[in-house]
Amino acid sequence: MTAPTGEVFDIMLDGKPVRVRAGANLGATLHTLMQGHLRDTASGQPRGLFCGMGVCFDCVVLIDGVPARACLTTVAPDMNVVRSAGRSS
Ligand code: FES
């Protein structure tokens, strides 16, 4: 994992550009931006960071169309992140 630096760039989050800090953890970034709400379950229950270390899968989002755990991901320029709604991935 890379430590955040002073460099900033945009990623796309649910179709909108958001400014992030290079080297930042995506899960922590989304937790801050979305006030902890990373996705919804099929029954509509909100989910966010739980374990923070890749075990629970509660932080799964689509990154460039591929399901991935946000807590294990470092932000990258032009990353396209879509929060899952109503499904487990
Ligand atoms: S918060 Fe548990 S896998 Fe990411």
Side-chain angles (χ1 to χ4, degrees):
M1 182 178 294
T2 307
T5 68
E7 179 187 353
V8 293
F9 51 79
D10 287 344
I11 65 172
M12 296 300 287
L13 174 60
D14 294 338
K16 297 177 183 166
V18 294
R19 185 128 301 197
V20 299
R21 208 166 278 287
N25 175 270
L26 178 62
T29 300
L30 295 178
H31 180 78
T32 301
L33 290 170
M34 308 313 294
Q35 300 176 336
H37 185 185
L38 271 65
R39 68 178 182 90
D40 292 321
T41 65
S43 63
Q45 298 298 309
R47 289 292 184 266
L49 291 181
F50 183 66
C51 72
M53 59 184 194
V55 175
C56 73
F57 287 72
D58 269 356
C59 66
V60 169
V61 293
L62 295 177
I63 301 173
D64 298 329
V66 178
R69 288 165 285 181
C71 71
L72 299 180
T73 304
T74 300
V75 296
D78 300 322
M79 179 180 270
N80 185 15
V81 178
V82 177
R83 295 185 301 151
S84 302
R87 52 183 196 254
S88 60
S89 61

